[in-house]
């Protein structure tokens, strides 16, 4: 198992980014690596970090302004070679079809529910580890 996993968190809301960090803790499950966060408040910062490389999973806020995480996810999947898996934060459960449209690998609703979020993030980290093995 790798020593750490890098998780990019995109939201224009510092409180949402904090909810993600708190729900994750040091690691979302015992069988996945420790997590380091890269926080981004703008779509341009997200694309810059992805260009730099080393991101294992993206957590994107579907309610972010000026560009929501769903549209940004779709752009990432279209434009970034070997894009990392995406966990989308949605405002309403009814928006699950939009998460599918965006090609996100997982989605949870806001506000962040710690157990649900940690389970979804751990699942994506496991998948990423299997794909890299």
């Amino acid at each position: 198992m790798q020593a750490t996993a890098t998780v990019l968190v995109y939201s224009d809301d510092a409180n949402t980014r904090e909810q993600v960090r708190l729900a994750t803790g040091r690691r979302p499950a015992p069988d996945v690596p420790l997590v380091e966060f890269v926080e981004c408040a703008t779509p341009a910062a997200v694309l810059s970090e992805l260009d730099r490389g080393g991101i294992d999973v993206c957590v994107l806020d579907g309610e972010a302004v000026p560009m929501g995480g769903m549209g940004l996810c779709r752009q990432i999947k279209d434009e970034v070679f070997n894009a990392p898996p995406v966990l989308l934060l949605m405002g309403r459960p009814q928006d699950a079809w939009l998460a599918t449209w965006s090609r996100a690998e997982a989605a949870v609703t806001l506000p962040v529910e710690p157990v649900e979020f940690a389970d979804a993030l751990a699942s994506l980290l496991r998948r990423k580890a299997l794909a890299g093995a």
Side-chain angles (χ1 to χ4, degrees):
M1 174 169 50
Q2 69 187 48
T4 61
T6 303
V7 175
L8 182 146
V9 182
Y10 163 66
S11 179
D12 65 315
D13 184 346
N15 290 326
T16 300
R17 295 192 308 266
E18 181 181 34
Q19 286 179 36
V20 167
R21 286 193 321 273
L22 292 173
T24 305
R26 292 176 45 100
R27 69 170 35 138
D31 63 330
V32 298
L34 294 172
V35 171
E36 293 179 356
F37 294 100
V38 173
E39 295 187 32
C40 298
T42 66
V46 171
L47 296 174
S48 176
E49 289 294 336
L50 290 172
D51 283 344
R52 191 170 303 151
I55 303 297
D56 294 298
V57 174
C58 293
V59 177
L60 306 179
D61 181 359
E63 305 301 308
V65 176
M67 182 177 205
M70 293 180 202
L72 183 57
C73 179
R74 183 135 178 133
Q75 180 179 351
I76 289 167
K77 297 300 182 175
D78 286 342
E79 298 177 4
V80 176
F81 179 71
N82 283 336
V86 173
L87 172 54
L88 195 58
L89 305 174
M90 305 178 303
R92 310 173 309 150
Q94 298 88 337
D95 292 337
W97 72 273
L98 283 169
T100 302
W101 168 85
S102 74
R103 299 198 304 253
E105 283 78 4
V108 297
T109 56
L110 288 168
V112 173
E113 197 287 313
V115 173
E116 177 189 26
F117 178 83
D119 285 347
L121 180 57
S123 175
L124 292 181
L125 290 170
R126 285 183 200 106
R127 250 198 274 176
K128 176 79 173 176
L130 288 174

